[in-house]
């Protein structure tokens, strides 16, 4: 199998079929009937962190493109929950600098030191401590109310595969952007 055919096969597996199914299944965000309140992240996310620290759960909209192809800017939402244990592959909301929050995936854990990277990033990581994690993603919520548990085995396999494809991620993301 050539590199080109492997890349094409992986891009079809990860991007194209998912996009086609989502276009048929998901309703538009505006048709859900839910009022939409937008606050800047620097105001909203500290409040979300406080609520999750009290043991509550919070749903936030995803902003930005760093978690493509698994989460899309202003289309998807996530349910954040308090964490008991953090593992490689978990998506977390963390404060990596005072007032600067990211929703990224754990790619390495060494003691209480975490290395985070967005699924849509091809290089560049963030470092934080376990105590900087505000919450862990428990559910991915798509438009139309479709929910996907973060612990779903099929999703976890796709996430592991995506991590292994880091050397060709730039090309796969290019193909993905063409299908969005």
């Amino acid at each position: 199998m050539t590199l080109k055919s492997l890349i094409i096969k992986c891009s079809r597996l990860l991007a194209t079929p998912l996009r086609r199914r989502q276009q048929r299944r998901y309703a538009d965000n505006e048709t859900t009937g839910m009022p939409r309140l937008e606050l800047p992240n620097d105001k909203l996310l500290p409040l979300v962190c406080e609520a999750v620290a009290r043991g509550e759960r919070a749903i936030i909209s995803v902003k930005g493109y760093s978690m493509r192809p698994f989460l899309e800017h202003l289309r998807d939402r996530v349910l954040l929950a308090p964490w008991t244990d953090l593992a490689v592959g978990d998506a977390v909301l963390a404060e990596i600098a005072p007032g600067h929050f990211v929703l990224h995936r754990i790619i390495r854990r060494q003691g209480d030191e975490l290395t985070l990277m967005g699924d849509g990033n091809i290089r560049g990581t963030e470092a934080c401590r376990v105590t900087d994690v505000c919450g862990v993603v428990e559910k991915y919520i798509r438009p139309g109310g479709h929910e996907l548990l973060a612990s779903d085995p099929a999703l976890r396999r796709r996430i592991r595969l995506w991590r292994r494809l880091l050397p060709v991620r730039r090309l796969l993301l290019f193909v993905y952007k063409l299908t969005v």
Side-chain angles (χ1 to χ4, degrees):
M1 181 179 286
T2 66
L3 179 61
K4 182 178 178 181
S5 64
L6 178 65
I7 291 170
I8 291 170
K9 186 175 182 176
C10 290
S11 66
R12 286 182 183 151
L13 172 71
L14 290 172
T16 308
L18 294 174
R19 303 306 312 158
R20 288 184 186 145
R21 270 187 281 155
Q22 289 170 351
Q23 288 169 355
R24 288 191 303 264
R25 183 173 50 206
Y26 300 145
D28 185 18
N29 271 341
E30 302 303 319
T31 62
T32 60
M34 302 265 311
R36 186 177 181 101
L37 175 65
E38 287 198 35
L39 292 173
N41 281 347
D42 61 337
K43 304 283 189 240
L44 175 67
L45 295 180
L47 299 174
V48 168
C49 286
E50 288 176 21
V52 173
R54 288 192 306 265
E56 300 174 27
R57 288 172 163 64
I59 296 174
I60 61 169
S61 290
V62 175
K63 292 182 180 177
Y65 300 98
S66 67
M67 288 299 285
R68 273 185 168 171
F70 297 101
L71 294 169
E72 192 62 40
H73 173 70
L74 293 181
R75 181 196 71 185
D76 298 326
R77 297 177 297 150
V78 293
L79 174 66
L80 294 170
W83 55 272
T84 54
D85 188 33
L86 298 172
V88 171
D90 288 342
V92 296
L93 177 67
E95 187 174 15
I96 59 170
H100 184 73
F101 295 87
V102 294
L103 180 70
H104 282 174
R105 201 167 302 284
I106 299 173
I107 60 168
R108 189 176 308 113
R109 180 174 182 175
Q110 295 175 333
D112 68 341
E113 298 287 326
L114 301 175
T115 304
L116 309 175
M117 183 179 197
D119 295 332
N121 295 349
I122 54 174
R123 65 184 180 299
T125 60
E126 293 87 19
C128 71
R129 303 181 76 76
V130 169
T131 55
D132 297 328
V133 173
C134 298
V136 65
V137 173
E138 187 175 273
K139 285 184 186 177
Y140 300 96
I141 305 168
R142 308 285 194 232
H146 176 75
E147 297 179 354
L148 181 63
L149 289 174
S151 60
D152 179 54
L155 176 63
R156 300 297 281 193
R157 281 191 300 273
R158 286 196 313 255
I159 290 168
R160 280 193 303 275
L161 174 62
W162 184 250
R163 286 188 54 228
R164 286 189 207 116
L165 293 173
L166 183 60
V168 293
R169 194 179 283 182
R170 178 186 303 269
L171 180 61
L172 295 174
L173 286 168
F174 175 75
V175 172
Y176 174 81
K177 289 175 192 176
L178 293 176
T179 65
V180 174

